[in-house]
Amino acid sequence: MGSCLSADGRNSISYSPSATPMAAKRKNARRKSFRASSFEAKREEQLHRIPGRMFLNGASDVASLFTQQGKKGTNQDAMIVWENFGSRTDTVFCGVFDGHGPFGHVVARRVRDCLPLKLSAHWEVNIGNEDGPKGNSSRVGSMNSDETASLCDEESGALMDVDEKEKQPEIFLTLKESFLKAFKVMDKELRLHPNIDCFCSGTTAVTLVKQGNDLIIGNIGDSRAILGTRDHDDSLIAVQLTVDLKPNLPAEAERIRKCRGRVFALQDEPEVARVWLPHNDSPGLAMARAFGDFCLKDFGLISVPEISYRRLTEKDEFIVMATDGVWDVLSNKEVVDIVASAPTRSSASRFLVESAVRAWRSKYPTSKVDDCAVVCLFLDSSPDNSTTAVITSAACASPTTEQTPLPPDQINANEETQENLQGPTELERSGTVRAPEIMPEEASGKTLEQAIKSQQIGEDWSALEGVSRVNTLLTLPRFVPGKEEKKARM
């Protein structure tokens, strides 16, 4: 069946029963897309005007931010510091996000913009409940029913027993519930977003909320947070606050395998465990948890954060959050020493990124330098006199804050530059990987509990452990329509 053509060659009335409905559907889709893009533009404008919110290279009295594009294409890292978070004068939110896949830069920026808003909203709801977090126990159960319904979505230790709850401060219980809910809703929103393809793209997220001396951290993926503190001899040491959630952790590997996902390393990179589809040698994701990457969400990859609490003391000086481009070439102690030796606080994050780039060129001269993003949060309330309060965008600060823009040579990875870079990120390797499997050695791995204990005594973890840099994602799975979809098209 088709359309009847008039003498002048133009279409006359169509006799196809599906022509008019299909055209209407396309028209409605374009309208929805236009409305969505208009809404996104308004939302971005409102976000940029929030006082105390910084997401570009720069610094304030309490924090320093810097990101630099590597040699792999678009800078897929994102970062944020939000002072007076949730309209609380003694509260700050920090986050670092490392995107991967063709649209990882889009996913990372989306999570950067939306996750803090969701966390703040859920926090307000929990605080507003008269019964507090303990009175919401039934709500917590329903809230995480999707994650706990099967082994594919279950994260050991996500829900605490009664005895553990009694030992934790109330703010941790409240914020833990808020973190779990916000991360879940964020991932669901990415899945349903009409303009962001997250099938083979995703991002890590290491985030924290500091209120007074209470520090709560939510983490997925292999970005990392460390603490610079003083020991009993007043020597500066590094304490790792998060665990790199990679597939070589036995608990993570077990969950993935129970969900029919595969975990193994390639012969030419035996120390890098990756997640693979059950019957296809792709995508080879080098982390066990992430936002997005929905090609693997049915096979063990989860977005449930590992959440931890720490009570800060007067010996704690600063926190460093960074993407794996830093940790791949610098140890925890080296990072702490570099930040402590920075000329000023405002230049600390840039000083660290430049040190990481030099280390890349020295240690891995044949590898492409990875993107780097760093947030340095200083914990004492009296900054040194040499620190200059700097914010790169006037829209990111309160109108009453005195601002000094960074020189142009420092702003080499700003938001406008990132937005103008079009097209998917370049992948160094392509095609289906067919190499002999090397199973990760269980004896050399650590459980999640052991990893947390080891970081508390200051033990360093290396992201590469002597292996040259490889891509987070190796290959993209080829989508094959199922029988149901084929029938629907007929």
Side-chain angles (χ1 to χ4, degrees):
M1 301 179 66
S3 299
C4 180
L5 297 179
S6 62
D8 60 359
R10 292 177 296 178
N11 288 335
S12 66
I13 299 175
S14 171
Y15 293 95
S16 172
S18 61
T20 300
M22 288 300 293
K25 287 182 179 179
R26 287 194 294 268
K27 189 175 182 179
N28 289 336
R30 286 194 296 268
R31 287 177 179 175
K32 290 181 179 179
S33 177
F34 176 78
R35 287 196 297 266
S37 60
S38 178
F39 173 78
E40 291 293 329
K42 292 180 180 179
R43 182 186 64 84
E44 294 249 350
E45 183 179 356
Q46 293 173 350
L47 280 173
H48 296 347
R49 292 183 177 180
I50 295 177
R53 179 182 179 273
M54 302 180 292
F55 60 96
L56 302 180
N57 294 344
S60 69
D61 286 336
V62 300
S64 173
L65 304 82
F66 194 83
T67 182
Q68 180 167 304
Q69 179 177 316
K71 300 297 183 181
K72 295 184 177 183
T74 304
N75 188 350
Q76 295 192 304
D77 289 357
M79 58 194 179
I80 183 174
V81 171
W82 190 342
E83 298 178 40
N84 302 324
F85 179 63
S87 300
R88 297 175 179 86
T89 56
D90 62 340
T91 306
V92 60
F93 173 91
C94 299
V96 168
F97 313 93
D98 186 356
H100 53 263
F103 305 101
H105 55 297
V106 180
V107 181
R109 288 201 294 270
R110 179 73 182 187
V111 174
R112 176 203 66 192
D113 291 343
C114 295
L115 183 62
L117 297 174
K118 299 182 187 305
L119 178 60
S120 178
H122 291 302
W123 191 8
E124 289 296 331
V125 170
N126 291 339
I127 292 177
N129 189 299
E130 295 180 355
D131 296 330
K134 293 182 180 179
N136 288 338
S137 57
S138 61
R139 197 164 148 280
V140 175
S142 62
M143 175 187 70
N144 292 296
S145 59
D146 291 342
E147 282 84 6
T148 59
S150 67
L151 285 171
C152 293
D153 294 323
E154 182 180 8
E155 191 273 310
S156 60
L159 299 178
M160 298 176 293
D161 56 29
V162 177
D163 293 336
E164 186 180 354
K165 283 186 176 182
E166 293 177 352
K167 300 177 183 178
Q168 299 292 348
E170 183 176 347
I171 186 174
F172 175 58
L173 301 179
T174 303
L175 269 172
K176 180 165 187 174
E177 179 181 350
S178 302
F179 267 104
L180 290 170
K181 181 64 174 178
F183 273 60
K184 176 186 175 182
V185 174
M186 184 73 252
D187 204 48
K188 183 177 181 180
E189 181 182 291
L190 289 172
R191 181 188 289 269
L192 300 176
H193 199 286
N195 299 323
I196 302 179
D197 184 357
C198 300
F199 187 68
C200 298
S201 298
T203 185
T204 68
V206 56
T207 60
L208 67 80
V209 171
K210 175 187 172 294
Q211 184 176 62
N213 290 326
D214 294 309
L215 182 67
I216 299 90
I217 301 175
N219 175 54
I220 58 175
D222 58 359
S223 295
R224 187 187 301 174
I226 66 170
L227 173 70
T229 186
R230 299 283 175 178
D231 62 8
H232 61 279
D233 295 327
D234 202 36
S235 298
L236 187 63
I237 62 172
V239 176
Q240 189 164 321
L241 299 175
T242 59
V243 173
D244 301 342
L245 295 171
K246 293 177 175 288
N248 63 332
L249 290 175
E252 303 293 300
E254 180 182 7
R255 181 193 69 245
I256 293 168
R257 291 192 180 109
K258 285 183 177 179
C259 297
R260 298 186 298 117
R262 295 182 297 156
V263 177
F264 64 87
L266 299 179
Q267 192 172 25
D268 57 348
E269 46 176 34
E271 299 296 329
V272 183
R274 296 182 179 276
V275 185
W276 310 83
L277 292 169
H279 306 295
N280 191 4
D281 288 341
S282 63
L285 186 65
M287 62 190 68
R289 306 188 195 191
F291 283 118
D293 296 305
F294 293 108
C295 64
L296 288 170
K297 282 291 165 69
D298 292 332
F299 304 105
L301 184 77
I302 61 175
S303 59
V304 181
E306 180 69 21
I307 304 172
S308 58
Y309 170 83
R310 184 181 182 92
R311 180 72 177 177
L312 298 172
T313 70
E314 60 183 9
K315 291 183 175 293
D316 302 330
E317 296 190 0
F318 55 84
I319 295 170
V320 180
M321 309 170 71
T323 55
D324 64 344
V326 172
W327 309 114
D328 284 348
V329 292
L330 297 174
S331 69
N332 293 346
K333 185 60 169 68
E334 288 173 330
V335 167
V336 165
D337 291 340
I338 291 169
V339 172
S341 62
T344 62
R345 286 186 173 184
S346 60
S347 64
S349 56
R350 180 186 180 184
F351 196 58
L352 177 56
V353 169
E354 291 175 344
S355 299
V357 171
R358 287 194 296 269
W360 268 101
R361 294 168 180 167
S362 173
K363 295 182 178 181
Y364 309 112
T366 60
S367 298
K368 291 184 178 180
V369 178
D370 199 5
D371 304 328
C372 296
V374 170
V375 168
C376 298
L377 178 65
F378 297 96
L379 303 176
D380 60 323
S381 58
S382 55
D384 56 35
N385 296 329
S386 61
T387 302
T388 304
V390 182
I391 299 179
T392 59
S393 174
C396 302
S398 171
T400 59
T401 304
E402 183 178 354
Q403 302 156 19
T404 304
L406 286 175
D409 62 332
Q410 292 192 27
I411 312 177
N412 60 358
N414 57 36
E415 193 75 4
E416 291 75 13
T417 301
Q418 294 180 29
E419 295 291 354
N420 291 332
L421 292 171
Q422 302 294 329
T425 303
E426 177 187 357
L427 298 179
E428 291 182 12
R429 304 176 66 167
S430 59
T432 302
V433 177
R434 301 190 181 277
E437 299 182 8
I438 299 178
M439 309 305 292
E441 298 180 5
E442 299 293 334
S444 62
K446 297 183 180 181
T447 64
L448 206 56
E449 293 77 10
Q450 290 172 336
I452 295 173
K453 289 180 180 179
S454 68
Q455 72 185 26
Q456 291 175 347
I457 62 175
E459 180 179 339
D460 282 352
W461 277 44
S462 172
L464 283 182
E465 297 179 357
V467 179
S468 60
R469 175 65 182 171
V470 292
N471 286 333
T472 298
L473 195 69
L474 282 187
T475 64
L476 301 182
R478 181 173 298 175
F479 178 74
V480 179
K483 294 182 180 179
E484 295 78 6
E485 293 178 348
K486 289 182 179 179
K487 291 180 181 179
R489 294 179 180 180
M490 295 179 63

